[in-house]
Amino acid sequence: QVVESCVAAAGYSVGEFAALVFAGALGFAEALYAVKVRAEAMQRASEAVPSGMLSVIGRREANYKFACVEARKHCESLGIENPVCEISNYLFPDSRVIAGHLQALEFLQKNAQKYYFMRTKMLPVSGAFHTRLMESAVEPLAEVLKSMDIQKPLLCVYSNVDGKKYMHPKHIQKLLVKQVVSPVLWEQTMHSVYERKQGTEFPYTYEVGPGKQLGAILKKCNLKAWKQYNHVDALEDEE
């Protein structure tokens, strides 16, 4: 009943493929193959440059973009050409993930107080995903998506790239490629999905898969919407 009455879907980063399969835009087997190609290409891009991702919770006055500019200048002073340090994920108000060269992230951790960062934590990942350091992964994914039979989604699916609804198959193809090198606008997506006229009830929300991180983010973005949130562990049935 929930599946049949579903009105919208969104997936975080690689989860966007799951959302599009659910909405009938991508076939399951084809999407799985595209995810494999994407993962392998991103892994190769990661191995080319020592890079990573830093989760940051900041005070209200934190200026993430200014902090990234200073971290890039620091990298240049170390002789790194074209250093990368940018926001790669907008999670919820006052929380961002910054990705780029490891030296830039180390600089931000050392100078956290100066930028009003209350908490910083390196993420256990091998590269700076959703930044231009993933440029070499764009072409392999674009090639696979070109060969796929992409349909118009049966329900609204929201893109990580701009937080808006996918319009048609070509649009899906274009934005899934762009997503590899663009920040995940998850906070903005949450606002788009749950935009309601005053007094309108919020829909039920289901997080499908391991962990409840997206539920925790929803709570920070929209408490009223979160009150209708449920978690579905994808492994429960098998057990």
Side-chain angles (χ1 to χ4, degrees):
Q1 191 188 350
V2 166
V3 171
E4 279 166 16
S5 61
C6 184
V7 290
Y12 184 95
S13 189
V14 70
E16 198 150 43
F17 285 85
L20 287 162
V21 169
F22 175 75
L26 305 178
F28 178 70
E30 281 190 317
L32 212 52
Y33 179 65
V35 165
K36 176 182 184 284
V37 169
R38 176 185 183 273
E40 287 169 352
M42 286 169 86
Q43 183 57 36
R44 283 194 297 275
S46 301
E47 286 161 5
V49 176
S51 59
M53 302 180 86
L54 182 72
S55 173
V56 177
I57 291 180
R59 296 184 196 282
R60 282 277 158 87
E61 55 269 50
N63 185 335
Y64 304 95
K65 286 187 175 165
F66 173 67
C68 289
V69 168
E70 297 225 312
R72 289 197 294 271
K73 282 183 184 160
H74 167 73
C75 285
E76 283 167 357
S77 75
L78 299 175
I80 296 170
E81 281 180 37
N82 292 329
V84 172
C85 181
E86 53 203 55
I87 297 171
S88 63
N89 306 66
Y90 291 78
L91 298 177
F92 54 85
D94 307 319
S95 177
R96 305 279 181 269
V97 175
I98 294 174
H101 281 82
L102 281 182
Q103 296 89 332
L105 304 181
E106 284 158 8
F107 171 84
L108 291 179
Q109 279 193 298
K110 271 190 200 131
N111 295 282
Q113 259 181 317
K114 178 184 174 184
Y115 303 116
Y116 301 102
F117 294 169
M118 291 191 295
R119 206 166 84 222
T120 61
K121 185 183 171 209
M122 285 298 289
L123 297 179
V125 295
S126 57
F129 305 134
H130 303 291
T131 70
R132 59 184 173 82
L133 286 176
M134 292 292 120
E135 201 70 64
S136 64
V138 164
E139 200 49 48
L141 179 61
E143 282 304 307
V144 172
L145 290 171
K146 262 182 216 157
S147 69
M148 282 170 67
D149 179 26
I150 303 174
Q151 303 292 320
K152 190 176 191 303
L154 300 170
L155 51 110
C156 298
V157 181
Y158 289 80
S159 164
N160 288 183
V161 172
D162 57 9
K164 295 179 181 144
K165 296 169 193 170
Y166 280 114
M167 304 310 286
H168 48 76
K170 277 268 178 270
H171 193 214
I172 292 171
Q173 189 184 328
K174 184 180 158 191
L175 291 191
L176 279 180
V177 172
K178 202 174 171 189
Q179 192 233 54
V180 173
V181 288
S182 304
V184 173
L185 305 186
W186 193 255
E187 183 187 337
Q188 295 86 330
T189 302
M190 292 296 92
H191 295 317
S192 298
V193 171
Y194 296 102
E195 203 175 350
R196 292 284 178 285
K197 285 199 178 87
Q198 198 95 36
T200 312
E201 282 199 9
F202 283 100
Y204 286 100
T205 297
Y206 296 87
E207 178 173 2
V208 185
K212 299 178 184 176
Q213 291 91 331
L214 299 182
I217 292 174
L218 176 58
K219 189 177 183 180
K220 295 266 195 341
C221 290
N222 190 326
L223 187 60
K224 283 183 180 167
W226 174 79
K227 286 179 177 163
Q228 308 276 45
Y229 162 87
N230 293 282
H231 175 249
V232 181
D233 192 330
L235 298 173
E236 272 172 14
D237 290 351
E238 292 170 23
E239 283 160 15

